[in-house]
Amino acid sequence: MKALTTMQAAYWVGRQSEAPLGGVSAHLYAEFNCSDLDVERLRQAVTALYLHHPMLRLRVTADGQQTIDASGPQHRLHLDDFSHADAPDVANRLAHKRQTKSSQKLPLEQGVPCDISLSLLPGGHSRLHVDLDMIAGDAMGFRVLMEDLARFYHQCPTAPDDSSIPYFDYLDRHRADTALQARRARAQAWWRERLTQLPPAPHLLRTPDRCRSDRLALQLSARETQALEEAAKAHHVTLSSLFLALFAVTVGHGWNLSRFRLNVPLFHREAENVDNIIGDFSNLVLLGITLNPMENLSTFSRRLMDQLAELIANADYPGVSVMRDLSRLQGSMQPSPVVFTAGFGIQGKALFSDDVTRTFGPLEWVISQGPQVALDAQVAHANGGILINWDVRQDAFPDRLLPQLFA
């Protein structure tokens, strides 16, 4: 039994909070369009996946501790057979399933942080549905999940004989690292000197009511992607900083703000031997944005790139702790409801490898949700180009505003 990390605890509190944008789980849900999938092989692969990754059996106790349950009947593939339904009925059932799973709160108290199901469709087609609570695994952990599921589908491993929990072992090493503790103390001092300089977060444009999560997405072609990469290189900026600058300008326009802050998640796994582990290794930094109408886009991108480098150098003090310090300073909770996530630096470049795509087909739908998050913009290489994805709480925005900003 282990205490929750700072980020895990924030997710756990947020999913039980009654504050605006609270009361929802932090989770990542995706769908893949499959053809000629062997259901029995997939069933075996899912069972092996739950055995191989203990965090897929994570249980959070009432007092906020995390432990691992033994594998049970709840850790299996769930099957929905729509293969004999007509086309309109299939569309309705898939739409209802998507809506339900996009906003579901998995029962962590029962040891179920992951939900994998298959919808059988007419003509030998199927759709794979995968949902992972971020208390159990971050975005890179979701990628590990899909890579291993594809690998186990083709060659199912024997049951693991090691009873250790790699993520818990990592936590023990992490907490005992005296050098890390020293870096954290220095980073904490650095942040506290700058708390008063942080601009406010973009305010909620409408009081949220019943949670209505949705996404806006655009797939850039290979040609468009190459043009953007060449433009970024010509102006000596990274692709991530270029997209961040464009997003910041969009937020400034939508909220009519020239100074605000964005939440920028980090998913770097700096420790050794953790790349293939499912667990929460995530962090975040609070990025202060100042828009200057006299500054061109390339100069703005370079400035943001330099700012981010300095923030990352001081990220040993967790971003959630910075937000708590900021809340104490301001005398009220200080959330950061607008998020920007760039996934360009991941190994293998694309969001999912060719093995995943060949096995389970193209990515049909992906959406993330989190407490206190109204808009989470993500950019990543996918399907031979770049996927631009906005996960949004529609109930937090005036009608028609989000499509206008996205366009």
Side-chain angles (χ1 to χ4, degrees), residues 2 21 25 172 190 254 258 274 335 354 357 367 370 392:
K2 300 288 182 185
L21 297 176
S25 66
D172 288 339
W190 185 90
S258 59
V274 298
D354 290 342
T357 304
I367 188 170
V392 299

Side-chain angles (χ1 to χ4, degrees), residues 83 106 140 170:
S83 60
L106 291 169
M140 293 298 102
Y170 157 78

Side-chain angles (χ1 to χ4, degrees), residues 343-370:
F344 293 132
I346 60 178
Q347 186 178 4
K349 193 172 181 178
L351 199 56
F352 298 108
S353 72
D354 290 342
D355 288 342
V356 171
T357 304
R358 281 194 298 265
T359 304
F360 302 122
L363 181 67
E364 167 70 17
W365 174 267
V366 62
I367 188 170
S368 65
Q369 187 184 60

